[in-house]
Amino acid sequence: MVRLIDCTYFTKGERLIQNAPISPDRCVDQNEIAVRDSINGWIDSVQEGFLIAMMGINMTKVLLAYLEAKEIASQSQGESDGAEEPEVEDVETDEELEFLANGLKESLADYVMYKLLRGTILHVTNKGAVVLKSANDTHENTARRQASVWNTMVERNLRFLEEAKQRLSNYTICYVTNMVTPVNAMNL
C-alpha cells in the first residue's frame, strides 16, 4: 500500500517523536530505524481507515489506485536499464486526486499521532493489558495531548472539506461526522 505520509511528519512541533528521522532513507542509528519502522507501522494500520472516514470507501479506492499507479510508473522510469521489460504507461496527473492526497496529509499525521498516543498508554500481553509507566519524572497527561492533536486534526479537516467543495467537480466525497467533531480530554 502507498503511504501518504512518512516519519518526517513527526520530527517537529506538536507531533514531535523522539528519534524520528528527518530523512527516512538515510537512517543509520538503530533508534532512528526502530522509530521509523514503528511510525510506518502505525501509518500502515490507520491510513486506510482514516481515508475512508474522510472520503468514503469508493473515493479511497480510487485515490489509492491512482497513487499506486503513479508510484509504479515512477519506479519503472527510474529503473530502466535498457533491459527488455514490459512498458509501463505514464499516469496522467489528476489535479483533483492530487488535491485529495495533498490536502489530507497533515490531518492524517495528526490522526496517526492521536492513535499512537492512545496506543502507547496500554501494553497488551497474553494475560491482559498493562498500564505503562514513564521513566521520565515529568510527563504530560496523554488524554490532554490526545484531545489537542485530535482538535488540530478537526480544524484541518474542516478547512479541507471547505476547500474540497470548491475544488472538486469530478469526484464526490463523503465523511464521517466524528472526523470533524472536537473533543475534550474526557473524549466528550
Side-chain angles (χ1 to χ4, degrees):
M1 175 171 55
V2 176
R3 286 187 198 108
L4 260 60
I5 62 171
D6 60 22
C7 60
T8 60
Y9 283 78
F10 303 90
T11 59
K12 61 185 178 223
E14 188 175 25
R15 293 189 307 249
L16 175 67
I17 296 177
Q18 186 176 357
N19 293 322
I22 294 171
S23 178
D25 299 333
R26 296 194 179 123
C27 293
V28 289
D29 180 86
Q30 291 302 311
N31 288 329
E32 285 185 348
I33 292 169
V35 170
R36 178 200 62 198
D37 292 347
S38 177
I39 291 170
N40 286 343
W42 279 98
I43 294 168
D44 291 344
S45 71
V46 303
Q47 176 178 277
E48 188 173 3
F50 170 82
L51 292 174
I52 290 170
M54 283 304 299
M55 300 186 311
I57 194 160
N58 292 335
M59 275 310 305
T60 297
K61 288 179 183 178
V62 169
L63 178 63
L64 291 177
Y66 168 76
L67 294 174
E68 182 101 10
K70 273 186 61 174
E71 184 174 285
I72 291 169
S74 70
Q75 287 175 353
S76 70
Q77 288 175 353
E79 296 174 356
S80 60
D81 56 4
E84 285 290 321
E85 290 186 25
E87 186 80 19
V88 176
E89 236 179 87
D90 281 339
V91 177
E92 189 174 322
T93 301
D94 184 320
E95 294 298 325
E96 291 184 21
L97 291 177
E98 292 291 331
F99 161 75
L100 290 173
N102 293 328
L104 288 171
K105 287 180 179 182
E106 291 292 331
S107 291
L108 173 58
D110 290 333
Y111 188 74
V112 170
M113 187 68 180
Y114 171 79
K115 290 292 195 171
L116 193 143
L117 286 167
R118 284 190 65 174
T120 55
I121 294 171
L122 296 176
H123 179 68
V124 180
T125 68
N126 64 347
K127 303 239 187 224
V130 177
V131 176
L132 299 178
K133 295 185 180 185
S134 174
N136 303 324
D137 288 338
T138 59
H139 58 280
E140 184 179 5
N141 178 342
T142 58
R144 268 196 306 263
R145 183 100 187 269
Q146 288 171 35
S148 175
V149 171
W150 180 269
N151 291 335
T152 300
M153 179 200 71
V154 165
E155 290 171 17
R156 285 188 173 112
N157 288 346
L158 289 168
R159 284 193 305 268
F160 165 78
L161 291 169
E162 192 59 39
E163 191 174 349
K165 285 180 193 175
Q166 299 166 6
R167 298 206 36 194
L168 297 180
S169 58
N170 296 321
Y171 301 105
T172 302
I173 60 174
C174 56
Y175 61 93
V176 176
T177 57
N178 286 351
M179 300 304 283
V180 294
T181 304
V183 297
N184 59 28
M186 305 296 247
N187 205 16
L188 300 173

